[in-house]
Amino acid sequence: MSFLPFARPTIDEAMIAAVADTLRSRWIVTGPRVAAFEKALSERFGGRPVRALTSATAAMQVALELLGIGPGDEVIIPAQSFFVTGNVVERSGATAVFVDVDLGSRNIDLAQAAAAVTAKTRLLFPTHYNAPLDPDVLDAFARRHKLRILEDAALAIGSRTPRGPVGATGDIVSFSFHPNKNMTTIEGGALALNDEREAAIVDELRFHGIKRLPDGTRDVERAGVKYNFSDVSARLGLAQLAHLEDWCRARARLAQRYFECLAGDDLLVPERLPPRDNPGHSWNMFTVLLPLQALRSTRKAFMDAMHKEGIGTGVSYEAIHLTTLFRNKGFREGMFPASERIARETVTLPLFPEMRETDVERVCESMKRVMRRKAA
Ligand SMILES: *Cc1c(COP(=O)(O)O)cnc(C)c1O
């Protein structure tokens, strides 16, 4: 039986041909296909300006610069997310203020976020994780505390709320097109922005800070970076975007199959699974919390045993405040219990659109077998 990875992008022959055509055209760097990709994303997001960049990490870094976040500012982030949120805040010179997440949705606990607001707080920087963030609640939070919001929607292209697709609402929203996400451009990211003024600043920042002058020369006002997107990636992105809805439906179906196969398991009780009733979620990942005490084993041993069964698993994520970077600033175990418990027990099971329901069944059977062996 072939090895089942925990994530895999869908790439068909039409996409390969479209990319090959782009290469043959010799226009491979930023050009008409980047403009078309940004326009297609903008249409998805209700017409707001969108800019594509080389990664979500680049996009978030540029967004913080656009917002003028720097030394003396505080940015509220969840302790349970990918390292990048902590990293980009740290690199901006601002102070990362951590708050805990909800154990099931894994989204930021906004009551704790409200309590963490000080006179120095400039930005709330939450991640769409195991469920879409509620845009009405975010809007109200921003108004009440007079804060900007940068949504990390790396996992949430294709997610929906009652007010439309994630990216169509809110302040600034950042996306990733890494191969493990719901659609890919190999590497890539995008920002959904509020207006043309913000988009013009991103245009400048992502390409050396260059401004074109009427006399045909160029000027630099802000020290820019080199995060502009390529036409080759954009062409792949356009072809991928056309399948996004279908792929998210396939993900949702496979997630439901996981719930069915795991129902009634005495080790993986529902509290250890993601929220099942989860409207609008694009199911980038299916994460479970392992009952390590009952298993009298480690996550590493579980993952190794699954690997032997031909099944790949992942860890999403470690707790950001417990990295050496933030331990060196005084953060310790016990500060954010839900984030730390997720970091200890979480494992990500295979989930990608080309999987079949029989693959899900195979994962569940292997998992039950591995757990029984340990718990015995
Ligand atoms: C993947 C991911 C990122 C980073 O995206 P890149 O495009 O690889 O920079 C950021 N945040 C979350 C939650 C992610 O899953």
Side-chain angles (χ1 to χ4, degrees):
M1 220 180 288
S2 61
F3 188 81
L4 187 68
F6 81 89
R8 191 172 68 186
T10 306
I11 297 177
D12 64 20
E13 290 305 318
M15 292 169 197
I16 293 169
V19 167
D21 282 346
T22 306
L23 290 169
R24 281 190 201 99
S25 79
R26 302 300 192 273
W27 193 290
I28 56 178
V29 75
T30 312
R33 295 168 190 93
V34 171
F37 182 49
E38 288 173 342
K39 183 162 172 283
L41 288 170
S42 172
E43 277 163 12
R44 176 176 180 85
F45 302 148
R48 44 194 320 212
V50 173
R51 291 297 182 269
L53 298 97
T54 46
S55 67
T57 304
M60 291 173 185
Q61 193 181 330
V62 164
L64 292 185
E65 284 184 38
L66 162 72
L67 294 169
I69 306 287
D73 297 332
E74 292 179 358
V75 177
I76 297 176
I77 61 173
Q80 175 57 230
S81 182
F82 188 47
F83 305 118
V84 58
T85 43
N87 283 348
V88 294
V89 171
E90 187 63 18
R91 291 183 67 86
S92 76
T95 301
V97 175
F98 292 100
V99 301
D100 212 348
V101 298
D102 173 77
L103 194 61
S105 74
R106 302 195 182 182
N107 287 340
I108 192 164
D109 180 334
L110 284 172
Q112 287 188 36
V117 173
T118 73
K120 292 181 178 170
T121 309
R122 295 274 319 280
L123 180 73
L124 179 75
F125 188 4
T127 298
H128 292 262
Y129 201 145
N130 262 355
L133 295 160
D134 182 334
D136 292 327
V137 173
L138 290 183
D139 286 353
F141 191 95
R143 268 199 312 276
R144 181 166 349 110
H145 299 287
K146 298 193 172 52
L147 295 176
R148 298 294 300 262
I149 297 185
L150 171 56
E151 294 170 38
D152 177 357
L155 303 170
I157 183 97
S159 288
R160 288 184 168 276
T161 75
R163 282 175 52 198
V166 168
T169 53
D171 187 350
I172 297 181
V173 189
S174 165
F175 294 93
S176 171
F177 308 120
H178 178 277
N180 286 359
K181 314 304 185 191
N182 293 338
M183 57 171 275
T184 189
T185 62
I186 307 174
E187 295 282 3
L191 291 174
L193 299 153
N194 290 294
D195 51 40
E196 291 305 326
R197 187 196 66 87
E198 288 183 355
I201 296 173
V202 173
D203 283 338
E204 246 175 75
L205 285 173
R206 72 176 167 176
F207 194 66
H208 308 290
I210 286 176
K211 257 190 161 131
R212 296 192 176 274
L213 302 181
D215 70 356
T217 65
R218 296 165 294 181
D219 186 25
V220 170
E221 195 180 304
R222 306 167 198 266
V225 284
K226 179 66 162 62
Y227 294 157
N228 58 300
F229 204 52
S230 84
D231 259 28
V232 178
S233 287
R235 187 64 192 85
L236 178 57
L238 276 166
Q240 292 257 313
L241 192 55
H243 295 272
L244 180 63
E245 300 298 325
D246 280 348
W247 290 341
C248 290
R249 268 193 292 276
R251 287 176 174 282
R253 267 198 306 275
L254 293 164
Q256 287 313 314
R257 191 74 198 119
Y258 268 120
F259 286 115
E260 288 161 13
C261 292
L262 295 173
D265 190 272
D266 56 340
L267 286 168
L268 283 177
V269 293
E271 294 75 49
R272 294 187 170 277
L273 305 181
R276 183 170 184 170
D277 179 24
N278 201 345
H281 188 39
S282 56
W283 290 102
N284 181 259
M285 296 192 284
F286 194 92
T287 59
V288 303
L289 295 174
L290 291 174
L292 294 175
Q293 262 171 356
L295 300 182
R296 281 174 271 121
S297 183
T298 64
R299 174 172 53 198
K300 176 78 168 57
F302 174 84
M303 293 175 77
D304 288 348
M306 290 294 280
H307 192 92
K308 278 211 190 80
E309 302 253 337
I311 293 166
T313 53
V315 175
S316 296
Y317 301 100
E318 298 79 358
I320 304 176
H321 68 291
L322 296 181
T323 55
T324 301
L325 173 67
F326 287 105
R327 278 180 189 275
N328 286 345
K329 296 172 186 293
F331 290 95
R332 289 293 177 264
E333 276 87 0
M335 289 178 156
F336 306 106
S339 296
E340 293 167 21
R341 177 168 170 207
I342 294 163
R344 276 194 309 276
E345 298 182 354
T346 190
V347 75
T348 306
L349 304 180
L351 181 56
F352 52 85
E354 286 180 308
M355 268 173 74
R356 289 156 307 177
E357 299 209 351
T358 50
D359 292 320
V360 173
E361 290 153 19
R362 181 185 149 205
V363 173
C364 295
E365 279 157 24
S366 287
M367 192 159 55
K368 287 177 185 174
R369 195 158 51 234
V370 165
M371 290 196 304
R372 291 298 168 281
R373 210 150 63 210
K374 307 267 179 222

